[in-house]
Amino acid sequence: MNERMNAFLCAHRPLCVVYETLRWLGHRALGLGTARTPVWYQFDNKQTPAKTVQERLPLNKNWYRISRPLYRHEHVYYDFDKALAVNPQVQGLALIFFMGIGDYLYATPMIAALKRKYPTLPFYAYVGAQFDRNNSPLVGKLLQSNPHIEKVFYFNGYRHPFIWKNYCYEDAFKNIPEGFLAVPVYYDYSIHVAHRVKSLFETFGLPVPSAVPTPQMYFPAQPAPVVAELFARAGRQAQGKKGIVFLQLDSRGSNYVYPHIRALAESLIDEGYFVMSVTKGGPVQNPAYLEIDIKKLSINETWHLLLLLKAQFPLYVIAVNSVFWAASAGLGLPNLGLQHWIDKKVHNLWYPNIEVVTDYIYPFLPREKQIFAPAESYTRHNQKIIDYKPEWIVKWFKKTFEK
């Protein structure tokens, strides 16, 4: 009965909102029952998933703490030193990922720091196998290239439509060995969090760095044949140009595609640049333009290509708030970041290499890193999202990077 009711509520968002609000009021205001947590753990024994997930953390609760300012915004913090003290027979960590590629990039410094602290523990990764607003199975390919991860598995999970941290991890436990401590990789994401990377360090009980570390990216010693081919082609076509401008103007998280990519690319070409793009819709058969077919190379190969080009050409990024905000920081590339909707938590995602074009001034971002967009510089895409006019983007690009 509970399973059927949960499935029905998850399929009907308004009812889900009402249900979760009443449940929080019952726990918080009326003291009815024991509050549940969205994460499941195990030490030595396989956990049999229950129809109703209970807060079931074995042996000792001193190794974690739960923050619940509001029930639907709860967050769990880990202390692995205490976990190992409770059970020194722990044989490894099973890190469960249900996230997008950009989210993974923000997690890479934490994974590296965690491995430095526990070098003898093997790290296994478990990745959600389906695409949705929060998750991309392509994270698994990146984890396979991460030297701190020994094995990668996939599981079928689903996200809660209202509480984004509540995922079903039942399928992941089928491949977690006995003796592994299973922990989801997630972060606190609110206006009061300084940065997503810092939240991850705090979540996993690591010293929080004063300066936000950039994403860790891992490439083979020799580029893949498709990378070498594109590198040679782009190198020939970019000869004699001011530099290369790389465009990423679509976002899976906000379901957005910039509608004027052809006009923007042609304007940048007229200014003397060679333009590359992973977003479709650019000029056809223009020798100063190269569209990257993401079906023919992996995202890591795309980043490797940019790293190789960076060594030979001035290379810039123009990107909406999506995966290439983090990727540009990891590659050390100047980025004209188009903030195409108002997100008061945007400071959680920002790096100093990003000059933010915005129609709203954010109090937690450095003012000198924000380029205010007047009303005449954009049109309304829908009630929430705006489209910057190509001529304004080029104007800001030149003013910012042609000093």
Side-chain angles (χ1 to χ4, degrees), residues 16-27:
C16 178
V17 172
V18 173
Y19 173 73
E20 292 294 349
T21 301
L22 291 176
R23 189 151 69 96
W24 174 79
L25 287 172
H27 290 310

Side-chain angles (χ1 to χ4, degrees), residues 43-56:
F43 273 106
D44 293 315
N45 299 318
K46 291 280 186 181
Q47 175 176 317
T48 302
K51 291 183 178 179
T52 301
V53 183
Q54 299 297 326
E55 187 173 307
R56 182 175 177 270

